[in-house]
Amino acid sequence: MSARNAAGRLIGFFAGGFIAGFNENLVNMALVAIMSEFSVDAMTAQWLVTGFMVVTVFVVAAMAALYRRLGPRTLLFVALACNALGSMGGLVAPTFAVLFASRLVQAVGTGIFIPLMMNAILETVASEKLGTYLAVGNGMIALGPAVAPVATGSLVGAFGWHSVFVVPLVASALIGLWGLVAVRPSRRGDVQGNSVSLRGVLLNRGFVAAALLVVLTMSIYFSLNVMGPLYLEECAHLGPALSGLCLGPLVVAYAVASLAGGRRLDRRGPAPLLSRGLAVAAAGSVLMAVAAWMASEITLLAGMLVVFVGCGTVCANFQTTGLRCLALNQHSLGVTIMTMAVQIAASIGPFVSVGTMSGIQGVVGEAQSALGYGGAWLLAALVCVLGSLLACWACRQLWKWRRNNADAG
């Protein structure tokens, strides 16, 4: 398939990946208004985020079986229907219970979108272009959470919190029109349907190493999305809107680096790209720690840029490298595991970094709060160094796997 035909075949799936990332942060900027309107406390309102993530994880875990049974077209319209139904419920929700139920329905669509996009890429794109297209998908997922705070914050201020649900509702309609034309019904044999055991994927050491590296890299990425604006608000005394705007260009840089890294992987292979990307992220984390202790916001943003570029260069490439270690009939399960790795990272990364920061601040006192941030970012640097070493080992495993396959052929 030509590059133009592949892009046309995948554009709606990429849009679905963007909406999935957008939906995860959809109500964050509206929580205060929701708490006021429905007279609920912060712990209750937070379930709009936590419950959404729990449902998403369960749907992602089931996607390997669902993809083999239903195929891409059916799953696409199931995801769009859930996204649209949940969005309509949120748009008119008269009570908190209705709003919560609507978010859970919306989460079903979100849980389908990301692995569906990755499976569509694997079925559409030739192996030698896989890195580039998976990098585009990774960039679209990353842009969603970056755009959401700015877009939804503006909507809440201008039209009230209900209006944030207009964005995914309109997107569902547009993607649905595209899907009617561009995605054909699956025929028998179109979808790789052989039964694959979880154990048989997990015995592949190259794939397991790649999945662990996805968890590691995305943990750094997600933690920085929380810790960076938090530092700018708490220590630099910037407002939340300005802190969010500072993050936007950095996420764009992440997406650009992801695309550049994917193209580099397709042309020259994984070594030494994968280990060097995490080494760059380690250097950026050290720079951020120094900036926190020096109270230099400009240096901090420079360090964040370095970390985002380093992580962006390699994250999608770890997914590509791991999936290339699998047989075709293992791809759907491999995609599920890789998507689960991202969801795990979204939970672990912020928890560990904020916990480390709070622990240090508890020892040194609130007056030295910058020391807590610096300590958390030094820990991130150490994790990136260990990840760089693991990436070197994973590249050797992939080289051995390819050599053995060549000898067997």
Side-chain angles (χ1 to χ4, degrees):
M1 182 179 291
S2 69
R4 178 177 297 180
N5 289 339
R9 168 78 165 79
L10 295 171
I11 188 171
F13 293 111
F14 286 141
F18 173 85
I19 289 299
F22 188 93
N23 282 349
E24 290 184 357
N25 285 358
L26 182 66
V27 300
N28 290 14
M29 302 299 293
L31 287 178
V32 173
I34 291 170
M35 290 163 57
S36 175
E37 178 167 332
F38 295 130
S39 300
V40 297
D41 58 22
M43 288 299 294
T44 302
Q46 182 63 26
W47 274 102
L48 294 173
V49 178
T50 304
F52 183 94
M53 293 302 295
V54 169
V55 172
T56 299
V57 168
F58 276 106
V59 174
V60 168
M63 269 299 291
L66 291 174
Y67 191 80
R68 290 195 301 269
R69 182 177 296 272
L70 300 178
R73 182 182 171 91
T74 300
L75 281 173
L76 175 66
F77 284 103
V78 169
L80 291 172
C82 290
N83 192 51
L85 183 62
S87 299
M88 286 189 288
L91 191 61
V92 300
T95 65
F96 182 82
V98 172
L99 176 61
F100 180 63
S102 299
R103 278 290 281 171
L104 298 187
V105 173
Q106 196 178 48
V108 175
T110 297
I112 294 173
F113 276 133
I114 296 177
L116 178 62
M117 177 191 71
M118 294 179 66
N119 274 303
I121 293 171
L122 288 170
E123 290 195 350
T124 303
V125 178
S127 178
E128 62 272 14
K129 296 290 185 181
L130 195 57
T132 299
Y133 280 86
L134 283 176
V136 172
N138 182 65
M140 295 299 291
I141 295 169
L143 284 174
V147 173
V150 178
T152 58
S154 300
L155 286 170
V156 170
F159 305 106
W161 67 264
H162 287 276
S163 64
V164 302
F165 290 94
V166 171
V167 177
L169 182 59
V170 172
S172 293
L174 294 176
I175 297 172
L177 292 174
W178 166 86
L180 288 172
V181 176
V183 185
R184 59 179 174 79
S186 298
R187 296 174 297 180
R188 186 177 300 274
D190 282 350
V191 178
Q192 296 293 335
N194 294 340
S195 178
V196 180
S197 70
L198 179 64
R199 181 173 178 270
V201 173
L202 293 183
L203 286 177
N204 188 309
R205 291 182 293 178
F207 175 81
V208 171
L212 291 175
L213 285 163
V214 169
V215 173
L216 182 152
T217 306
M218 292 306 288
S219 293
I220 300 298
Y221 172 78
F222 284 118
S223 67
L224 197 53
N225 272 281
V226 174
M227 292 281 287
L230 198 61
Y231 175 88
L232 292 174
E233 291 183 45
E234 183 179 10
C235 298
H237 307 295
L238 301 181
L242 185 55
S243 298
L245 286 174
C246 288
L247 194 65
L250 303 180
V251 178
V252 173
Y254 172 94
V256 172
S258 179
L259 178 58
R263 291 174 66 86
R264 167 63 173 76
L265 180 76
D266 287 337
R267 291 174 179 173
R268 301 185 182 179
L273 173 69
L274 300 185
S275 59
R276 288 181 180 175
L278 284 176
V280 169
S285 297
V286 172
L287 183 59
M288 290 180 64
V290 172
W293 297 330
M294 293 173 54
S296 172
E297 290 78 30
I298 297 299
T299 306
L300 178 83
L301 290 173
M304 289 178 66
L305 176 62
V306 173
V307 175
F308 272 66
V309 169
C311 289
T313 301
V314 297
C315 182
N317 288 335
F318 288 138
Q319 296 176 331
T320 304
T321 301
L323 291 170
R324 279 177 172 168
C325 292
L326 303 179
L328 288 177
N329 67 336
Q330 295 175 317
H331 277 173
S332 60
L333 187 54
V335 164
T336 295
I337 294 172
M338 287 296 184
T339 310
M340 289 290 292
V342 174
Q343 299 298 325
I344 291 169
S347 302
I348 292 177
F351 176 80
V352 172
S353 59
V354 173
T356 301
M357 175 197 70
S358 301
I360 295 174
Q361 289 177 345
V363 173
V364 302
E366 290 296 326
Q368 301 293 325
S369 61
L371 292 177
Y373 287 95
W377 288 326
L378 282 182
L379 176 61
L382 176 61
V383 170
C384 288
V385 169
L386 295 176
S388 180
L389 297 176
L390 178 59
C392 289
W393 179 86
C395 287
R396 287 198 297 270
Q397 291 299 310
L398 180 62
W399 179 79
K400 291 179 181 178
W401 178 80
R402 286 180 172 175
R403 185 185 64 181
N404 292 339
N405 278 3
D407 292 342

